Amino acid sequence: MFTMLFVLVIGQLYGQEQEKEKPANVYSEGATAVRSRISTVQFSRNFTKLFNEKFPDRIVPHERCIVFYFVIDADGTASHIEVIRSDFNEEYNVHFLQFIDKVTMNAWVPASFKGQKVQKDYTLKVRVGE
């Protein structure tokens, strides 16, 4: 009886150790997440540049954030773009959708699962201002 209990406890401990060895960024074996060819800092710089060109008379005195939701298709294009949170008035959202489309064009490496490129949703936070 004691031997069986000992074997079960050791087996469970060994199984837990194996689970801990998995890298933290792997959420499913054989899957890779969407990634960008451009850093989020560069996205924000490019976005701010477009904002300043479009609205030269509207100075942003402090940093503001806009959060976008979109889908990265298997071919790497962004679709279904939405502003899900913004520190700006809603009147800017139409312009922001145009800006993010320009800023993110050809920037995405699609997600994959077991070697096949797949469609995946993505959320991006962009900072505007100084």
Side-chain angles (χ1 to χ4, degrees):
M1 177 83 168
F2 177 73
T3 307
M4 285 186 91
L5 182 61
F6 180 75
V7 170
L8 287 173
V9 169
I10 296 299
Q12 286 181 338
L13 290 174
Y14 180 73
Q16 289 176 352
E17 284 180 21
Q18 284 184 334
E19 288 179 16
K20 290 179 184 176
E21 292 177 12
K22 288 184 180 180
N25 60 350
V26 175
Y27 54 91
S28 179
E29 195 165 319
T32 60
V34 170
R35 67 181 177 85
S36 170
R37 294 183 180 100
I38 302 171
S39 72
T40 54
V41 172
Q42 191 61 49
F43 277 132
S44 294
R45 286 181 187 147
N46 295 348
F47 196 93
T48 298
K49 181 180 176 185
L50 288 173
F51 181 87
N52 291 336
E53 288 172 1
K54 179 72 176 178
F55 306 108
D57 57 328
R58 296 189 183 124
I59 297 172
V60 180
H62 61 280
E63 188 176 87
R64 292 182 174 184
C65 294
I66 307 155
V67 179
F68 294 93
Y69 165 85
F70 43 94
V71 174
I72 304 301
D73 295 320
D75 63 358
T77 58
S79 62
H80 307 289
I81 304 169
E82 298 176 31
V83 175
I84 57 173
R85 197 189 98 214
S86 176
D87 292 342
F88 293 88
N89 295 333
E90 282 191 37
E91 65 190 49
Y92 290 97
N93 288 355
V94 173
H95 300 290
F96 291 163
L97 294 173
Q98 293 168 352
F99 295 170
I100 202 67
D101 194 40
K102 284 183 182 179
V103 169
T104 63
M105 191 176 296
N106 300 320
W108 302 108
V109 176
S112 66
F113 183 70
K114 295 185 179 181
Q116 297 292 319
K117 294 178 180 179
V118 294
Q119 185 182 60
K120 183 73 175 111
D121 57 336
Y122 193 80
T123 304
L124 176 67
K125 182 178 185 178
V126 176
R127 301 176 191 279
V128 178
E130 302 300 317

